[in-house]
Amino acid sequence: MTHEHDDNDQIRPGEAELTRLADGSLPESEREQLQATLAGSPELQTRLREQQRAVGLVQATAKITAPASLRASVAELTETPARKRGRGHARTATELRQAAIWRPRASIGIVALAAVLIAVVSVALHGRTAPTVGSTARLALAPATGPAPTVSATDHDVLSVHPTGASSIPFPSYVHFTAWKASGVRHDTLQGRHVTTVFYTVAGTRVGYSIVSGAALSMPSGSTVRGPTGARYVFVSSEGAQIITWRRDGHTCVIAGRSIDRHTLLALAAADEQV
């Protein structure tokens, strides 16, 4: 005799109701039995905690007033197949069975889904995400688009160019500290932020010094040293380039170059502290 395969055989008792227990929609009559099952299964207890965290994230997101089009898209994304086929009519036993099978499978990714929903709402309401030190460093390694800025007529320690949106931080001329000379400049907009980059060269080696407008960017993971005045410098290597980043007057500064050692990068950044 052959037996019809039942997908429910692949789902352990109680797993289908984890999401409903987490969000409080499980009937009282079923709750005690499920909790008894959970007591004997550390794995199910872990999955329940994941569901509870996800429910909390989704509830927090629901407090944000998102655009109607976004809410409609999220509703469509999270709607069960049975509800899509027919809203407002009584579901058949087969549909109820399929919905029970769908729920635990969907719940496997509920934490990831909650994170995606929050990210989408955040971007929709608040605009672009902030650039990173890595994306800023790519501009510091890009070609110059303008001629070398001149030394300021009123202060030989700085250049005549000022960072867009961060004018309180002058670019150093390095005339009293090193043999590096300004060789070019470029102005970019990176994810809504102005980035001004000045390029310096010496003996065929070039670095780009970028300053980002707006609030300081998140610091990357890397080797950290303290400068003469206590500034925190972080070194990062990326795509064959050496990068140093630090914060000055609430803004992020980045110097990046190829064929250059960290000692030289630190010397350039630390000399900037004396400007």
Side-chain angles (χ1 to χ4, degrees):
M1 179 183 296
T2 60
H3 294 276
E4 184 178 327
H5 180 70
D6 188 349
D7 285 339
N8 277 324
D9 292 340
Q10 299 178 359
I11 305 171
R12 291 177 301 167
E15 190 172 0
E17 288 77 26
L18 283 176
T19 302
R20 298 168 63 195
L21 179 62
D23 64 18
S25 63
L26 187 70
E28 185 68 32
S29 59
E30 301 177 30
R31 192 173 304 168
E32 291 185 5
Q33 181 178 356
L34 178 55
Q35 289 175 337
T37 303
L38 288 171
S41 175
E43 180 182 351
L44 286 178
Q45 293 173 21
T46 299
R47 293 178 66 85
L48 176 61
R49 287 193 293 270
E50 292 175 352
Q51 302 296 330
Q52 290 170 333
R53 285 194 293 268
V55 168
L57 289 172
V58 173
Q59 289 174 344
T61 305
K63 296 178 181 179
I64 303 174
T65 304
S69 59
L70 177 61
R71 294 198 301 270
S73 298
V74 171
E76 176 69 17
L77 177 65
T78 58
E79 192 172 30
T80 66
R83 291 187 64 186
K84 288 180 180 179
R85 285 197 299 270
R87 302 176 183 86
H89 67 78
R91 294 191 293 180
T92 66
T94 300
E95 287 177 325
L96 289 171
R97 176 174 171 273
Q98 289 174 339
I101 295 172
W102 178 87
R103 181 184 291 273
R105 288 178 178 172
S107 69
I108 292 174
I110 193 170
V111 175
L113 174 61
V116 169
L117 293 180
I118 290 175
V120 169
V121 172
S122 177
V123 172
L125 296 182
H126 304 293
R128 306 175 182 88
T129 57
T132 64
V133 167
S135 59
T136 303
R138 293 188 188 98
L139 297 179
L141 296 168
T145 58
T150 60
V151 175
S152 170
T154 58
D155 186 350
H156 289 178
D157 289 331
V158 301
L159 300 176
S160 57
V161 65
H162 290 280
T164 303
S167 58
S168 63
I169 309 175
F171 281 100
S173 65
Y174 292 133
V175 293
H176 297 304
F177 304 113
T178 70
W180 292 84
K181 303 296 182 183
S183 60
V185 68
R186 66 179 293 139
H187 299 274
D188 297 278
T189 300
L190 185 61
Q191 294 173 270
R193 302 285 195 92
H194 296 292
V195 181
T196 305
T197 305
V198 172
F199 299 93
Y200 300 85
T201 58
V202 62
T205 299
R206 190 194 77 155
V207 298
Y209 180 169
S210 299
I211 299 177
V212 185
S213 68
L217 308 182
S218 297
M219 297 293 275
S221 299
S223 303
T224 302
V225 298
R226 293 285 178 179
T229 63
R232 177 173 173 254
Y233 298 97
V234 178
F235 292 102
V236 182
S237 298
S238 178
E239 301 176 0
Q242 295 295 327
I243 303 165
I244 187 171
T245 181
W246 71 103
R247 293 174 179 175
R248 186 176 179 192
D249 292 347
H251 298 287
T252 294
C253 300
V254 176
I255 299 179
R258 305 184 190 278
S259 302
I260 189 170
D261 57 52
R262 292 186 173 185
H263 176 78
T264 303
L265 283 179
L266 180 59
L268 291 171
D272 193 19
E273 290 191 59
Q274 303 176 46
V275 173

